[in-house]
Amino acid sequence: MNPGTSPAQRLAAVRARIEAACAAARRDPGEITLIAVSKGMPADRVVELLELGVEDIGENKAQEAAAKASEVSVMAGGSAPAPRWHFIGQLQRNKARTVAGFAAMVHSVDRPGLATALDRAAAQRGTPLEVLVQLDLSADANPARGGVRPGDFDALVEAVVAVEHLSLRGVMTVAPPDDDARRSFDRLVGYSQSLQAIHTSATVISAGMSADLEAAISAGATHVRVGTALFGARKLASEHRT
Ligand SMILES: *Cc1c(COP(=O)(O)O)cnc(C)c1O
């Protein structure tokens, strides 16, 4: 990514990539939600994108995200519509309330205990929390990446639908960097299809980042999570788990 390009140019380039991938897959670009992943970036960079028409923002650390969400609502105050905040990172149970305080959707539910904690937090805020079940489809389980292993997927889905204040909206994965991303995405779509056969409103397929959004769209993703291609490179510290 050329560091000299403006936010508007970077956004246009990402939108063009999404449109080209949709054209190649004979899909309607209107089916794809672009989530701008602003981890490690200050609030003013988020506001810039909101003013350019981005409506969905993703964050992966609870505390940083909560602070930024309130900063953004003050800074944007009227000049841009409030975004939908997506929480996409590894989450500890004791941060569930923090996340339920600002997030519309949590993409990273990967164990029953976290579903329970988020359910309690959502009960307190009074509106249901939309959640995705994150799958770890890598050859070797990688705790740093998060996600439930396929063998535990059904039990986790049951735990999510059993509670009152979570709304199961679909599935998510992070493709291992050194793996065939397309293969992970195809498998994720397979899990999504069997899930939707039972839970018809679980239509979200969150897959694809800056490097692999074309493969994800080609496989069937509905939500892509794009950081670097929109904001430029981050410091590595923001990659670490909360
Ligand atoms: C950081 C992050 C992204 C965005 O990654 P880029 O390569 O910067 O586009 C997407 N999903 C998750 C879970 C992330 O942590």
Side-chain angles (χ1 to χ4, degrees), residues 123-142:
Q124 281 173 345
R125 75 177 201 171
T127 50
L129 181 62
E130 297 187 302
V131 299
L132 308 181
V133 168
Q134 181 179 352
L135 271 153
D136 178 2
L137 299 168
S138 54
D140 301 308
N142 181 347

Side-chain angles (χ1 to χ4, degrees), residues 1-241:
M1 182 57 56
N2 175 356
T5 52
S6 70
Q9 287 169 320
R10 284 194 293 257
L11 177 59
V14 169
R15 290 214 188 281
R17 284 176 61 189
I18 292 172
E19 275 165 31
C22 284
R26 298 176 190 282
R27 297 185 61 194
D28 173 0
E31 292 171 20
I32 312 294
T33 299
L34 169 63
I35 300 172
V37 178
S38 56
K39 62 190 184 194
M41 297 293 158
D44 58 345
R45 303 285 308 275
V46 174
V47 173
E48 234 167 29
L49 280 189
L50 299 180
E51 286 169 347
L52 291 167
V54 169
E55 296 173 339
D56 293 85
I57 303 293
E59 284 283 339
N60 72 335
K61 287 168 130 189
Q63 241 83 334
E64 176 189 339
K68 207 180 293 181
S70 52
E71 236 189 306
V72 165
S73 73
V74 172
M75 285 176 71
S79 74
R84 275 170 58 81
W85 290 89
H86 298 255
F87 189 79
I88 62 174
Q90 285 278 275
L91 182 58
Q92 293 165 4
R93 300 172 56 136
N94 62 7
K95 305 241 174 71
R97 274 186 75 171
T98 304
V99 168
F102 68 87
M105 186 182 282
V106 175
H107 292 225
S108 45
V109 175
D110 61 1
R111 57 202 192 279
L114 180 57
T116 309
L118 285 170
D119 176 59
R120 281 201 206 103
Q124 281 173 345
R125 75 177 201 171
T127 50
L129 181 62
E130 297 187 302
V131 299
L132 308 181
V133 168
Q134 181 179 352
L135 271 153
D136 178 2
L137 299 168
S138 54
D140 301 308
N142 181 347
R145 195 178 298 123
V148 66
R149 296 297 283 172
D152 297 323
F153 177 70
D154 288 346
L156 178 55
V157 165
E158 278 181 34
V160 170
V161 298
V163 295
E164 208 179 324
H165 307 282
L166 300 184
S167 164
L168 177 64
R169 293 302 322 284
V171 293
M172 180 272 220
T173 202
V174 178
D178 46 359
D179 225 50
D180 179 2
R182 178 60 198 259
R183 211 178 130 262
S184 296
F185 297 150
D186 284 340
R187 288 185 66 201
L188 182 71
V189 170
Y191 282 95
S192 171
Q193 284 165 350
S194 21
L195 182 66
Q196 288 186 58
I198 305 163
H199 303 288
T200 51
S201 55
T203 52
V204 172
I205 302 173
S206 170
M209 321 202 302
S210 294
D212 53 23
L213 69 88
E214 285 85 358
I217 288 172
S218 166
T222 63
H223 289 55
V224 293
R225 310 176 307 265
V226 179
T228 315
L230 285 173
F231 289 103
R234 301 175 288 274
K235 295 199 180 106
L236 276 173
S238 61
E239 303 288 343
H240 295 164
R241 56 183 299 169

